[in-house]
Amino acid sequence: MTFQQRLILLVTGLVLLAVVAVTTAMAWTTRVALTDRIEAEARLAAGLLARGAAQARDIPQEVDALLSERLLSEATLTAHLVAMAEAAKLAPRAINDRLKQIAEAGGPDEMWITDNRGRAYLHNLPGPDPVFGQDAKAGPRHGAYAGLLNRSPASLASEPALENGKLMKFAGVAGVDKPRIVQVGADVRRLGEIVRKSGTDGLIDGLLATRAVEAAWLLDRDGRVLARGAVMADGAGNPLSDADTAAAKAVVPGGDVTFRVSNGSLLALAPVRYAGPATAIAAAGPAAGVPAVAMVRVPYAEPGAMLSRQLKIGGLVGIFVLALGVYASLRFARDQMAPVERLSEAVKAVEAGRFNPFTLNEAADRDDEFGRLSRVFRRMAMEASAREETLDAQLVMRGAELETKSEKLAAAEQLIEEEQRAARDVQSNLLPRQLPVGRDSQFYGTLVPGHAVSGDFYDVIELDERHSLLVAAGVSGGGVPAAFLMLMVRGAIRETARAGVGPAAILANANERLCGESPFDGFATAFVAVYDRLAGTLVHAAAGHRGACRVTADGGVEFLSAAGGPPLGVRRGAPYTEATVVLNQDETLFLCTDGVLRSVDGQREPFGEERLAAALAHSRGMSVRDRTEMVLRAVQAHAGTDGVIAGDLVCLVMRRLLPVTEAAEAV
């Protein structure tokens, strides 16, 4: 493909890509904006319907509660009024006349006052005197209020009930002057009218009147439709599908509004939140007939239609712009390719060694960028021919210099190798040649040196016949400085190690010595533990050291690096803490240095504590040697051929063989 063809393809491709990108972005932005608006309207409608349904349940209850309070107040006033009238020696007929006047003036519709035997001898309505408590079938208020005679309870309000064609609500209190029942009642037909006016059907009709909602439903927790309404157009009134009903059942009480697309429409589902006791009922699963979910259906075809329309317009514009871009690219390429062809011929002539500077005269006479490029190229070609001979001479001189530097580099590599060999000899000679042997515990330690010696080591010191000191330490850096730091750390630990001195004191002494006497700017990490071979106790402390863990008999792994302090040689006077664990029979203490944990694979993923714990868990029941070799194989397998072993691999393993109780008896 020629440069001209690539230029035309590039220009037209960029123009087409720009048109497609702008059109797609505008169409998608428009669709997202419309979708957000529709979802916001659906959320608002569903929320309004849910709040309205909750209020449709709560308002009658609140009105009934207020009416009960009012009737109890009127009953109390009536009790005091009767007591005062009888104290004034008024006749029962006069009291009844006064009660009728109170009822006609806006007081309670019914008032019944009994004697101490429950006979209602005072009342504002004509008729016989009923007896409260004798015949529960005589009226809903008779049997329920008999307990007021002995003030158990002292007051009572009943639910509204139909009586003689009226919706009546009664409330009663005990007498204030003597045992009696004082009951008042009111016609609560207004409560029924409030229920009808604030009902769910009115709410749904109000939503549908806005024309922003196609259909609306109220469902209980079992998915039964309690109320519904729809705009009968384009199938908006279709019933809910099984999937829609299942989605309604899945709505979390007290949660947020959820959405789902069904049959080209958007469904918004909002949980109905009730105030007071209704909230607890809804959370536990409301009974049948109680609205639990409000659902509205809104049109959802507009975003898709808008997206399609925008894409069509963008496609037409793209075709027009593409044709215009191709025409402009052809004209531009034809005008600009002449000097490019001359330069191409000049490049071939330079490669062949037969360049003639006069072939670029026509191109060099131009005033644009190609003219400047032709002049620069002609000058560079002439200079290149002149420098070619100079470069040949310099090449011979550079070869001689390179040979001399190679000899110096070989000598430096030999010196570095000798330093590494000396540091490795120091490191291997300082490791313990023989570990303790006994029937109570099993010890094993190993060192796999890295390419560059890092100064890691382990040590086991017999403090007395019962106690042993276990050490695993790693030193920063490599070579001779690392070996020197290892000598200082090992010497400081052995200098302090004796019976009765804890790991924290040993680390503190080693830290002070390393901070004050080390000529190198380095540090060391260490794990020190005092092991009681008879009691099985292990008192340990770590100086910034990881990789110390306790392995239980069933393969559980517990890391022991929490107690201790900072690495050695970092901060003078740093405090160190220690902790104690007990090793039971067949439990193992595993110590390693950072080389095990920091070895990485080809993706630079370190071996880490999780893989170490997995390898130790898989080695359950093995001897200390086999367990160590299994961990080392796991590290080498993790690194593979593309990974890196991070320095020395040091492991010290101790396994307890006798149970703690047996060891204690041996003492």
Side-chain angles (χ1 to χ4, degrees), residues 588-606:
T588 302
L589 173 67
F590 182 88
L591 306 179
C592 66
T593 55
D594 281 349
V596 174
L597 300 177
R598 293 190 295 106
S599 295
V600 297
D601 57 9
Q603 287 73 37
R604 313 304 298 173
E605 180 71 21

Side-chain angles (χ1 to χ4, degrees), residues 222-257:
D222 295 328
R224 289 185 289 268
V225 177
L226 305 179
R228 67 182 299 272
V231 178
M232 304 307 294
D234 299 329
N238 293 336
L240 294 174
S241 64
D242 294 339
D244 298 337
T245 304
K249 293 180 181 180
V251 172
V252 178
D256 199 1
V257 178

Side-chain angles (χ1 to χ4, degrees), residues 242-279:
D242 294 339
D244 298 337
T245 304
K249 293 180 181 180
V251 172
V252 178
D256 199 1
V257 178
T258 58
F259 300 95
R260 65 176 273 105
V261 179
S262 176
N263 297 327
S265 299
L266 181 66
L267 291 177
L269 301 91
V272 179
R273 298 181 177 90
Y274 294 100
T279 303

Side-chain angles (χ1 to χ4, degrees), residues 74 190 235 285 299 319 321 325 392 413-414 433 482 501 507 584 587:
E74 292 178 346
R190 293 183 180 179
I319 293 174
V321 173
D392 292 338
E413 290 179 352
Q414 183 178 1
R433 301 188 179 279
V501 179
L507 290 177
N584 298 313
E587 292 189 346

Side-chain angles (χ1 to χ4, degrees), residues 163-454:
E163 183 174 327
N164 298 326
K166 297 180 180 180
L167 184 63
M168 297 297 297
K169 181 178 179 64
F170 292 93
V173 298
V176 297
D177 56 343
K178 61 182 179 179
R180 69 168 79 213
I181 299 173
V182 179
Q183 185 189 68
V184 298
D187 187 355
V188 293
R189 286 175 296 178
R190 293 183 180 179
L191 181 60
E193 295 177 359
I194 292 174
V195 172
R196 287 192 299 273
K197 290 180 180 179
S198 61
T200 56
D201 293 335
L203 294 173
I204 294 176
D205 292 340
L207 281 178
L208 297 178
T210 62
R211 296 296 179 179
V213 176
E214 291 181 342
W217 296 266
L218 284 174
L219 300 88
D220 61 9
R221 181 53 59 197
D222 295 328
R224 289 185 289 268
V225 177
L226 305 179
R228 67 182 299 272
V231 178
M232 304 307 294
D234 299 329
N238 293 336
L240 294 174
S241 64
D242 294 339
D244 298 337
T245 304
K249 293 180 181 180
V251 172
V252 178
D256 199 1
V257 178
T258 58
F259 300 95
R260 65 176 273 105
V261 179
S262 176
N263 297 327
S265 299
L266 181 66
L267 291 177
L269 301 91
V272 179
R273 298 181 177 90
Y274 294 100
T279 303
I281 295 175
V290 177
V293 179
M295 183 185 301
V296 297
R297 175 185 290 165
V298 297
Y300 202 57
E302 186 178 359
M306 178 62 70
L307 179 62
S308 176
R309 185 163 57 253
Q310 292 283 351
L311 291 177
K312 289 179 181 179
I313 295 174
L316 295 176
V317 174
I319 293 174
F320 173 76
V321 173
L322 180 62
L324 183 62
V326 170
Y327 173 75
S329 298
L330 289 172
R331 291 292 303 270
F332 178 78
R334 189 179 299 113
D335 295 338
Q336 300 298 322
M337 283 304 298
V340 174
E341 293 176 356
R342 299 290 182 273
L343 284 172
S344 179
E345 294 174 356
V347 170
K348 294 179 180 178
V350 171
E351 292 177 351
R354 49 181 177 81
F355 172 68
N356 185 0
F358 298 104
T359 58
L360 291 178
N361 287 343
E362 182 180 354
D365 292 338
R366 296 170 62 105
D367 295 332
D368 56 7
E369 291 81 359
F370 287 108
R372 291 193 294 272
L373 178 61
S374 299
R375 292 190 292 271
V376 172
F377 179 80
R378 182 172 60 184
R379 184 172 61 253
M380 291 176 60
M382 295 175 64
E383 292 176 354
S385 299
R387 291 180 181 176
E388 185 174 356
E389 297 179 359
T390 304
L391 290 176
D392 292 338
Q394 291 179 352
L395 182 60
V396 175
M397 296 176 60
R398 296 299 182 187
E401 293 178 359
L402 180 60
E403 184 178 356
T404 303
K405 290 182 178 179
S406 298
E407 294 176 356
K408 293 181 179 180
L409 181 60
E413 290 179 352
Q414 183 178 1
L415 179 61
I416 293 174
E417 182 64 27
E418 291 177 355
E419 289 184 356
Q420 291 288 342
R421 188 182 302 109
R424 190 173 289 110
D425 292 340
V426 171
Q427 184 180 24
S428 60
N429 291 332
L430 291 180
L431 295 178
R433 301 188 179 279
Q434 184 176 1
L435 297 178
V437 178
R439 70 185 188 92
D440 57 280
S441 304
Q442 186 181 40
F443 292 83
Y444 181 75
T446 185
L447 164 66
V448 179
H451 177 70
V453 177
S454 60

